Amino acid sequence: MAGMKELLHNDEGYMRRALELARRPAGPTYPNPRVGAVIVSDGEIIGEGYHRAVGLPHAEIEAITMAGDRVRGSTIYLNLEPCCHYGRTPPCTDAIREAGIARVVFGIYDPDERVRGRGAGILKGEGIDVCAGVLERDALELNLPYIHRSVTGRCFVMLKLASTLDGRLTAVGRRWLTGSPARARVHDLRAQTEAIAVGIGTLIDDRPRLDRRLHEEELPPPVRMVFDPQLRFPLDYPWLVDGERVIIYAVRNADPGRRHALEAANAEVVILPEKDGLVDLTHWIEEISSRGFTSVMVEGGGRIATSILREGCFERLVLFYAPVISGQGGVLWFGDRKEPPWFENGGLVLERQELIGDDVMAVYDRSHIDRYLELVTGGDRLVHRTD
């Protein structure tokens, strides 16, 4: 029993390193998952790698290349089950088999319908020792947007808000509610997100950059999405001037001349149905999902936040609470007088909370997300087979 405990301890240590590699800011991996790989032989790490961008080698290939001739008989650690299908690159199961790796340890099964246990099954069929479920919750968290899209076919939407203790987005005399450590954490969230969305009111009032300037050496700018029913988006906005990708969501009665001017300035204008004076968010979810977006972070303002919460058009709510009381002058982040209808059928689950400087970050997930853990650790929908 002591030997098994020691093995598990070592497995967790190497898996933490694989997760650390997978978290590194890289080029856009979307729609691929974030994966890190560590190869160990005789207690020594001989190869490491992580997936940097779509079309580039997967983490397994980077690690195998680094390990060189010492790879035969080794153990590889991955946060996600190896792929077993041809895409832009060949199957990683083939590379693992050809390298002579003796043992494969991974965190969670890949919910992609082309994998879902087949990768593990192929490796087992080749006589390779396979161990799954090491640090599975950490592995689930790392690739939650990818898993959500693989399971549902929809984009993962995160609503991020900075709030006073009395539930307001603004306070008189304060440019920022939260301190610099919390704002730096927001940039980390942006580095993990494909696109950022904001309402036109917030854009005009605050002229936010919504960039990744703390990671600009590793990452390109995110895709910016703007909820702008009547196309008030300024033609001189830096995103357009700098040629960065902007998608503006408007309604059918928006000024066609304004639409032409924005499109001439290289903005993408998408017309959606109207609901309560805003774009219909259920149609917005369908639109971004059909385009293949994996994750979008919505950063306000009040009307957009209220609509998203009312309609249940999100999977995760991240609240940064500042030690500030605004009183009656601030903008409410949920201005509806009624409880959202979806709340009765399953509310929010507190995933974690953390003190960041003087602020508190609270992360809430929709209740159904907790069920993903059963799936990716070998639930009923996963079948081990080699066909």
Side-chain angles (χ1 to χ4, degrees), residues 10 37 48 90 104 121 123 141 199 205 228 254 256 281 288 334 357 373 376:
N10 291 337
E48 293 186 337
V104 176
L123 295 172
E141 171 65 23
D205 291 343
D228 183 12
L281 292 171
I288 61 177
F334 186 64
L373 186 63
V376 297

Coordinates of all heavy atoms in Angstrom, one line a residue, residues 10 37 48 90 104 121 123 141 199 205 228 254 256 281 288 334 357 373 376:
N10 N 3.8 10.8 -6.6 CA 4.6 11.2 -7.7 C 3.8 11.6 -9.0 O 4.1 12.5 -9.7 CB 5.6 10.0 -8.1 CG 6.7 9.8 -7.0 OD1 6.9 10.7 -6.2 ND2 7.2 8.6 -7.0
A37 N 2.4 18.4 -21.4 CA 2.9 17.1 -21.3 C 4.3 17.1 -20.6 O 5.1 17.9 -20.8 CB 3.1 16.5 -22.8
E48 N 9.4 17.9 -22.0 CA 8.2 18.7 -21.7 C 7.7 19.4 -23.0 O 8.4 19.6 -23.9 CB 8.5 19.8 -20.7 CG 8.9 19.3 -19.3 CD 9.1 20.4 -18.3 OE1 9.4 21.5 -18.7 OE2 9.0 20.1 -17.1
P90 N -1.4 14.5 -37.0 CA -1.8 13.1 -36.8 C -2.2 12.8 -35.4 O -1.9 13.6 -34.5 CB -0.5 12.4 -37.2 CG 0.3 13.4 -38.0 CD -0.1 14.7 -37.4
V104 N 1.0 5.8 -19.6 CA 0.3 7.1 -19.9 C -0.6 7.5 -18.7 O -1.5 6.7 -18.4 CB -0.5 7.1 -21.2 CG1 -1.2 8.4 -21.4 CG2 0.4 6.7 -22.4
G121 N -8.5 3.6 -24.9 CA -8.7 2.3 -25.3 C -7.7 1.8 -26.3 O -7.2 0.6 -26.3
L123 N -4.6 2.8 -26.6 CA -3.3 2.7 -25.9 C -3.3 1.4 -25.1 O -2.3 0.6 -25.1 CB -3.0 3.8 -25.0 CG -2.8 5.2 -25.7 CD1 -2.7 6.3 -24.7 CD2 -1.5 5.1 -26.6
E141 N -11.1 22.2 -14.7 CA -11.2 23.7 -14.7 C -10.3 24.3 -15.8 O -10.8 25.3 -16.4 CB -10.6 24.1 -13.3 CG -10.4 25.6 -13.2 CD -11.7 26.4 -13.2 OE1 -12.8 25.9 -13.0 OE2 -11.6 27.6 -13.6
G199 N -21.1 46.2 -23.6 CA -22.2 47.0 -24.1 C -21.7 48.4 -24.6 O -20.7 48.9 -24.2
D205 N -18.9 55.5 -22.6 CA -18.6 56.2 -21.4 C -17.2 56.0 -20.9 O -16.5 57.0 -20.5 CB -19.6 55.8 -20.3 CG -21.0 56.2 -20.6 OD1 -21.2 57.1 -21.4 OD2 -21.9 55.6 -19.9
D228 N -24.6 46.7 -29.6 CA -24.8 48.1 -30.0 C -26.0 48.1 -30.9 O -25.9 48.2 -32.2 CB -23.5 48.6 -30.8 CG -23.6 50.0 -31.2 OD1 -24.5 50.7 -30.8 OD2 -22.8 50.4 -32.1
A254 N -31.6 49.3 -37.2 CA -30.4 50.2 -37.2 C -30.2 50.9 -38.5 O -30.5 50.4 -39.6 CB -29.2 49.4 -36.8
P256 N -29.0 51.9 -41.8 CA -28.1 51.2 -42.8 C -26.9 52.0 -43.3 O -25.9 51.4 -43.6 CB -29.1 50.9 -44.0 CG -30.2 51.9 -43.8 CD -30.3 52.1 -42.3
L281 N -30.3 37.9 -26.7 CA -29.0 37.2 -26.3 C -29.1 35.7 -26.6 O -28.0 35.1 -26.8 CB -28.8 37.4 -24.8 CG -28.4 38.9 -24.5 CD1 -28.4 39.0 -23.0 CD2 -27.1 39.3 -25.0
I288 N -22.7 33.2 -32.1 CA -21.2 33.0 -31.8 C -20.9 31.5 -31.8 O -19.8 31.1 -32.1 CB -20.8 33.7 -30.5 CG1 -21.6 33.1 -29.3 CG2 -21.0 35.2 -30.6 CD1 -21.2 33.7 -28.0
F334 N -27.4 43.9 -11.4 CA -28.6 43.2 -11.7 C -29.8 44.1 -11.4 O -30.2 44.2 -10.2 CB -28.7 41.9 -11.0 CG -29.9 41.1 -11.5 CD1 -30.0 40.6 -12.8 CD2 -31.0 40.8 -10.6 CE1 -31.1 39.9 -13.2 CE2 -32.1 40.1 -11.0 CZ -32.1 39.6 -12.3
G357 N -5.4 41.0 -3.0 CA -5.2 42.4 -2.5 C -6.3 42.7 -1.4 O -6.5 41.9 -0.5
L373 N -17.9 16.8 -14.5 CA -16.8 16.0 -13.9 C -17.1 14.5 -14.0 O -16.2 13.7 -14.3 CB -16.6 16.3 -12.4 CG -15.5 15.7 -11.7 CD1 -14.1 16.1 -12.3 CD2 -15.5 16.0 -10.2
V376 N -16.1 13.5 -17.7 CA -14.7 13.5 -18.1 C -13.9 12.6 -17.3 O -12.7 12.4 -17.5 CB -14.1 14.9 -18.2 CG1 -14.8 15.8 -19.2 CG2 -14.2 15.6 -16.8

